[in-house]
Amino acid sequence: MKPRYEPAIKCLIVRLHKGSVILPLNLMAELVAGSELAASMHPGVEGWLHWRNRQIPVVSLESLCMEEDAGESDEGKCLILHTVSAVPGLPFVALRVQGGLNTLEILPDTLRDDHGGNVQRCPYVARQVRASHLLCFIPDLPAIEAAVAEVLQLTVEQQELAISE
């Protein structure tokens, strides 16, 4: 029996305030300066980024995971991602990041699970791994998108209430 060939997945490694995330390269739409965000009144959404005639919700993985010392990126960059869920009206989300982008081709044996230091499990992190000796998080994008969609639903309901009053 022939061994099954599994192709490498082209991924991005992006730095957060603390740690890094790994994302499939095909989800990236654009890396933009996100220093001027419209304010958000909702927990979990740091603000709104105006991008290509759209309002994109900006989230921070650290804020979602309620890390005490989650600070804003000094560089104010946002990585705009195509969503993976079929949520109507949510084609993109933006993730608050720092620095530039690094690429990595991931094979089945590239990632090693790392449970050290992961005392409190965040529901928005699918896995904590080491890639080339770098501690990285693989975000649970469907969970993040569901949280943002819930915020958007609240926003729609509040707008409808304001209009009807």
Side-chain angles (χ1 to χ4, degrees), residues 6 8-10 15 30-31 40-41 63-64 78 84 112-113 125 129 131 147 161:
E6 294 192 37
I9 300 171
K10 292 185 189 232
R15 209 177 63 196
E30 190 172 349
L31 179 65
S40 169
M41 305 280 282
S63 294
L64 286 171
C78 293
V84 296
R112 302 273 181 247
D113 283 319
V125 173
V129 297
L161 282 174

Side-chain angles (χ1 to χ4, degrees), residues 75-110:
E75 300 170 40
K77 291 187 178 175
C78 293
L79 179 63
I80 300 173
L81 302 169
H82 295 276
T83 55
V84 296
S85 307
V87 177
L90 188 64
F92 302 98
V93 294
L95 189 62
R96 176 75 82 173
V97 299
Q98 293 189 23
L101 306 172
N102 295 308
T103 58
L104 174 72
E105 289 199 356
I106 295 184
L107 294 163
D109 62 346
T110 305

Side-chain angles (χ1 to χ4, degrees), residues 19-32:
S20 298
V21 292
I22 295 179
L23 299 159
L25 183 63
N26 65 344
L27 292 182
M28 184 181 119
E30 190 172 349
L31 179 65
V32 297

Side-chain angles (χ1 to χ4, degrees), residues 13 22 104 106 110-112 129-136:
I13 295 181
I22 295 179
L104 174 72
I106 295 184
T110 305
L111 302 178
R112 302 273 181 247
V129 297
R130 289 215 176 257
S132 302
H133 305 290
L134 180 66
L135 179 63
C136 298

